Amino acid sequence: MSNAKSRADLSAAFATLRRRFEASLPERSAKMLALMEQPSHSNLSDVVAEAHKLAGACGTFGQSVLGSHARQIEQLAIEVDSKDDDERLQALPSLRQVVLEFDIAVQTALQQVSVEEAENAEKLHQPDTVWLLLTSATLAEELTRQLQAFGHKVECFNDFNSCLTRLQSTAPAVLFSVIHAKNGDSLFKQTLLLKQLKQLRSRLLVLSDRDEFTLRINAVQHRADAFFVSPLDIPNMIATISELLEHGNKQSGRVVIVDDDQLLAQHYALVLNSAGIETHIIANTRQIIAELLVFQPDLLLMDMYMPEYSGAELAGVIRQYPSLKRLPIVFLSSEINKTLQLSAMAYGADDFLTKPIDDAQLVQAIKTRLQRSLQLKSLIEKDSLTALIKHSAIKQVAELEFERSQRYGKPCSVVMLDIDHFKAVNDNYGHATGDLVITALATLLRKRIRKTDKAGRYGGEEFMLVLPNCPRPEAVVLTQQILDAFRLLNFGDGAGHFKCTFSAGVASSEDAQYSAAEQMIEAADKAMYRAKRTGRNQVL
Amino acid sequence: MALERVMHVEDDESIRAVAEIALTDVAGFTLLSCESGQSALAQAEAFAPQLILLDVMMPQMDGLQTLAALRQIPALAKTPVVFMTAKIQQAEKQRYLDAGAVGIIEKPFEPMELGDTLSQLYQQHSV
């Protein structure tokens, strides 16, 4: 006798069956309840048959309590069925009661299962793993290669079932799946698979062979994070995955709170902090602009009625500043008069939350608005190919950090990077490959820099790093490390692999008496061109 | 001769699925899985099982009826049959043994042991 599969595979396979069985229980129990509505002789025999099957199956799937419960139904139903009409009528309520109790026992058992599963989810989740469920082997191979280049672990699947089986022993950070499998099955019909992905906190990205509104709605209903249409835009997909995986580790936004009631403001701050949101309280309303410019919040939560100035007035002032025009302002007030609310919004507020608001509602309301705000910010400020900060925004960051370094007397550095012989890459391998090289470097930059550092796409194949509180030698070491990692990456499709390098120039605020960030950027740019002239593939 | 070819007749899909893994992946048997007595009758002769595992309570044709019909096929007249049932009453048990079963496996069963149990029953019977 051969053991074709390992014991782990087998127990995973049994676990899948068990889950499938458990998932079918509410329906089977409901079926018995429905039969009990019209307890004819033939319906009662159906109850006996169903209870009999459940009695056998429940125990086999580890639900022995439910099993003996079902056996009780079976025996009682046989007994009731054998009675004459009058006695049967009398005995029916007790049978119905037992069936009802079974139904409740099923719900309880399933709840226990889901609690256990939630506890398991933590253990199973693999933060850096991407699963691919694709119909094209070529696409799967190509994606595997590229995702691995970014340090993701990749597993490939051919069908929903094998994916579900694997989910019993481990869970990916992201599942990238086709909507329609080879055999015509639809992803959106895999309720068990989708449910478990959700429980295991795995993100879902879908690939559709057609762009259809109902499919897009389905994707939203199943919490898919992105919807791609064939032929797949690979660089975009890789960038989405990288962004998803990185976002998970980041804080979920910054909120400034303005309320004349300090205790209440502190309470809001605590509640939001516990949800991972960074907060800052402004007590002196006259300081509001200065503090907003320093803290750079993603959302402003403001009381509408304050003794000195009203929220509406402050909103109006905020909107006078171009850099604060986009800041979402949410009013918090006990005002329930719609007309007054609307007139307040005419001053430039975006939304209204009515006091009293309970903690969970506050978190939910702020989180949703923050998410939108961050998405918009990223669309406006970030480069669509690389998800790095755009030219104008990264220059602003450099200016801000340069000023800070002057004020606090701490060094900051700027690095300019340019991919070597990039034109040749585009000419020889096409722009899609060129884009891939750019996304690869962008992802490396994001991964290697500190949280406080910023990376931007300065031009076509030119990048800029802004490194606050970082003297020159450290900036050089960091850039050299990034170069070492970058030149290890393999690019190209099938025909021939190739590798890329970049040249980089570093400038630090300590290097010279710069009077403005612009000069420091220029110095870094010059150093970069010197690196190019003297052989490329180096950091100067 | 060791047990290799097993036919399983069971109407409950979830039990069939478990038994399939238990009897193929775990036990290494060649398995024919049927969802009804009728389906078993249609395929049994061609498959030529060494042992038949029969669920007792099935709609339309139950286990005993299926057994009687299978016995009409000359090639299967002596093939050992094992019943599988959730019932545990002794009188019931005796009825199945009288009908010619070589053994009775009670549900719930332990999937990892199902193959071994069948092998043992098969060995005892052939001796």
Side-chain angles (χ1 to χ4, degrees):
Chain A
M1 287 179 212
S2 69
N3 272 346
K5 291 185 184 172
S6 77
R7 230 188 140 80
D9 280 347
L10 288 173
S11 57
F14 281 130
T16 310
L17 293 176
R18 196 185 71 227
R19 272 157 222 259
R20 214 174 270 160
F21 172 76
E22 282 163 354
S24 78
L25 278 176
E27 198 183 312
R28 296 175 76 164
S29 161
K31 183 179 150 197
M32 285 199 294
L33 274 173
L35 288 168
M36 286 307 297
E37 290 296 313
Q38 291 185 342
S40 63
H41 172 70
S42 93
N43 276 358
L44 274 182
S45 341
D46 285 352
V47 170
V48 172
E50 188 61 37
H52 174 85
K53 268 191 236 167
L54 284 170
C58 283
T60 305
F61 289 106
Q63 295 282 5
S64 52
V65 177
L66 287 179
S68 44
H69 212 129
R71 182 152 302 144
Q72 203 188 332
I73 295 178
E74 183 193 359
Q75 279 159 1
L76 195 59
I78 293 174
E79 216 174 286
V80 171
D81 198 24
S82 66
K83 289 183 172 165
D84 62 40
D85 286 356
D86 279 357
E87 282 185 343
R88 206 161 98 183
L89 272 180
Q90 281 180 359
L92 274 171
S94 63
L95 176 60
R96 194 173 290 132
Q97 184 61 31
V98 181
V99 177
L100 208 60
E101 279 167 13
F102 178 76
D103 196 56
I104 294 164
V106 164
Q107 311 296 341
T108 322
L110 292 184
Q111 267 165 23
Q112 274 168 3
V113 168
S114 63
V115 169
E116 280 166 31
E117 276 170 2
E119 284 165 359
N120 276 332
E122 202 66 33
K123 286 181 244 157
L124 296 178
H125 195 81
Q126 303 289 319
D128 225 10
T129 305
V130 177
W131 287 5
L132 304 175
L133 201 165
L134 298 168
T135 42
S136 152
T138 346
L139 182 61
E141 261 172 51
E142 179 63 19
L143 282 178
T144 305
R145 216 161 48 73
Q146 301 203 7
L147 286 167
Q148 280 170 347
F150 292 104
H152 302 304
K153 290 182 208 105
V154 182
E155 280 186 47
C156 293
F157 298 87
N158 293 317
D159 59 286
F160 298 124
N161 266 337
S162 54
C163 194
L164 181 60
T165 307
R166 185 80 176 112
L167 262 188
Q168 312 313 318
S169 43
T170 175
V174 174
L175 168 66
F176 179 67
S177 170
V178 287
I179 293 179
H180 299 287
K182 256 189 195 138
N183 57 6
D185 278 357
S186 164
L187 168 68
F188 300 130
K189 295 225 170 85
Q190 313 300 313
T191 38
L192 197 58
L193 176 69
L194 292 166
K195 193 175 139 214
Q196 285 203 41
L197 281 174
K198 218 165 99 189
Q199 272 170 356
L200 295 165
R201 293 184 296 104
S202 300
R203 312 297 284 266
L204 177 66
L205 308 182
V206 297
L207 174 63
S208 177
D209 41 23
R210 51 186 186 267
D211 194 350
E212 225 170 66
F213 188 70
T214 45
L215 290 177
R216 284 183 177 267
I217 289 280
N218 278 331
V220 172
Q221 285 166 341
H222 291 101
R223 308 262 168 98
D225 285 290
F227 186 98
F228 296 93
V229 181
S230 295
L232 177 65
D233 174 357
I234 295 180
N236 187 7
M237 179 265 190
I238 305 255
T240 307
I241 288 195
S242 302
E243 213 178 334
L244 263 185
L245 296 185
E246 283 165 30
H247 257 281
N249 310 324
K250 281 194 181 149
Q251 276 203 319
S252 40
R254 297 146 67 87
V255 172
V256 158
I257 302 169
V258 183
D259 199 310
D260 59 310
D261 183 337
Q262 282 301 296
L263 273 179
L264 203 55
Q266 273 159 19
H267 175 76
Y268 295 148
L270 272 178
V271 168
L272 294 176
N273 287 344
S274 68
I277 299 166
E278 201 182 331
T279 55
H280 177 72
I281 300 172
I282 297 181
N284 182 353
T285 44
R286 283 173 171 273
Q287 290 294 318
I288 187 166
I289 299 297
E291 296 207 36
L292 286 178
L293 289 174
V294 172
F295 188 71
Q296 298 269 329
D298 303 302
L299 186 142
L300 172 62
L301 182 65
M302 183 155 60
D303 190 11
M304 198 159 111
Y305 296 106
M306 288 175 290
E308 215 174 345
Y309 308 103
S310 80
E313 285 167 341
L314 289 173
V317 172
I318 288 168
R319 293 305 187 216
Q320 289 171 0
Y321 290 79
S323 66
L324 296 175
K325 270 205 191 322
R326 279 205 319 269
L327 174 66
I329 301 176
V330 176
F331 278 135
L332 198 63
S333 157
S334 43
E335 180 62 66
I336 48 166
N337 182 329
K338 279 281 168 205
T339 323
L340 277 177
Q341 286 192 355
L342 286 173
S343 76
M345 287 173 80
Y347 281 92
D350 297 285
D351 213 340
F352 236 99
L353 295 178
T354 310
K355 282 189 207 171
I357 184 167
D358 76 41
D359 295 352
Q361 278 174 352
L362 178 71
V363 167
Q364 194 54 48
I366 295 297
K367 264 197 167 170
T368 326
R369 286 163 180 82
L370 260 182
Q371 216 180 0
R372 280 300 290 160
S373 158
L374 287 170
Q375 270 174 354
L376 278 175
K377 188 174 162 190
S378 128
L379 274 178
I380 293 164
E381 288 184 357
K382 286 189 176 168
D383 176 60
S384 60
L385 176 64
T386 60
L388 293 183
I389 304 169
K390 279 182 190 164
H391 180 97
S392 56
I394 189 73
K395 266 184 102 170
Q396 274 178 16
V397 172
E399 281 158 18
L400 192 77
E401 289 308 334
F402 180 77
E403 276 161 33
R404 273 193 193 157
S405 81
Q406 299 295 305
R407 203 180 317 147
Y408 300 113
K410 284 184 177 162
C412 85
S413 297
V414 163
V415 185
M416 299 292 294
L417 302 92
D418 191 279
I419 300 173
D420 296 328
H421 301 299
F422 186 69
K423 195 173 170 303
V425 172
N426 271 338
D427 290 347
N428 294 337
Y429 302 95
H431 285 272
T433 310
D435 282 355
L436 200 78
V437 174
I438 286 181
T439 352
L441 180 54
T443 307
L444 258 183
L445 292 178
R446 265 204 310 273
K447 278 198 153 180
R448 293 298 175 103
I449 59 179
R450 299 167 302 174
K451 251 190 171 172
T452 46
D453 299 338
K454 292 281 181 323
R457 189 172 177 204
Y458 204 70
E461 67 269 25
E462 202 176 357
F463 297 83
M464 180 161 129
L465 297 178
V466 179
L467 314 169
N469 205 354
C470 176
R472 181 184 178 81
E474 280 178 32
V476 171
V477 168
L478 173 74
T479 313
Q480 186 63 47
Q481 283 172 348
I482 295 171
L483 177 57
D484 291 343
F486 183 60
R487 54 188 173 208
L488 284 179
L489 293 178
N490 263 320
F491 298 102
D493 40 13
H497 296 310
F498 66 94
K499 292 183 183 195
C500 274
T501 57
F502 63 72
S503 306
V506 178
S508 171
S509 58
E510 295 172 315
D511 291 350
Q513 286 290 328
Y514 301 121
S515 59
E518 187 66 34
Q519 292 174 354
M520 190 169 66
I521 296 173
E522 260 179 48
D525 212 34
K526 275 187 189 148
M528 191 264 286
Y529 278 107
R530 212 167 53 243
K532 287 263 182 201
R533 277 200 310 275
T534 56
R536 298 188 170 86
N537 190 12
Q538 58 180 331
V539 183
L540 287 184
Chain B
M1 205 167 68
L3 180 58
E4 274 166 16
R5 302 176 71 77
V6 174
M7 181 165 86
H8 182 208
V9 191
E10 161 75 60
D11 64 313
D12 189 331
E13 189 246 324
S14 56
I15 295 287
R16 270 207 314 282
V18 172
E20 193 170 323
I21 298 176
L23 296 179
T24 57
D25 294 320
V26 181
F29 297 152
T30 305
L31 178 74
L32 174 68
S33 193
C34 305
E35 83 277 355
S36 67
Q38 288 88 334
S39 154
L41 281 175
Q43 302 175 71
E45 194 167 8
F47 181 71
Q50 292 167 282
L51 183 141
I52 300 169
L53 180 61
L54 260 182
D55 182 38
V56 172
M57 200 188 263
M58 293 184 288
Q60 294 164 348
M61 277 180 93
D62 68 16
L64 285 171
Q65 289 168 326
T66 307
L67 173 60
L70 285 169
R71 289 288 187 235
Q72 302 296 312
I73 302 171
L76 301 173
K78 287 184 176 157
T79 310
V81 167
V82 174
F83 275 116
M84 196 184 242
T85 176
K87 285 222 174 87
I88 42 163
Q89 281 156 3
Q90 194 51 43
E92 199 83 29
K93 228 173 178 174
Q94 197 53 51
R95 245 178 80 206
Y96 304 138
L97 293 173
D98 292 346
V102 298
I104 290 156
I105 290 174
E106 275 176 16
K107 291 182 195 172
F109 62 93
E110 171 51 54
M112 299 305 276
E113 291 163 10
L114 183 63
D116 287 346
T117 313
L118 289 187
S119 288
Q120 277 167 22
L121 286 170
Y122 182 74
Q123 293 301 339
Q124 285 166 14
H125 173 74
S126 0
V127 173

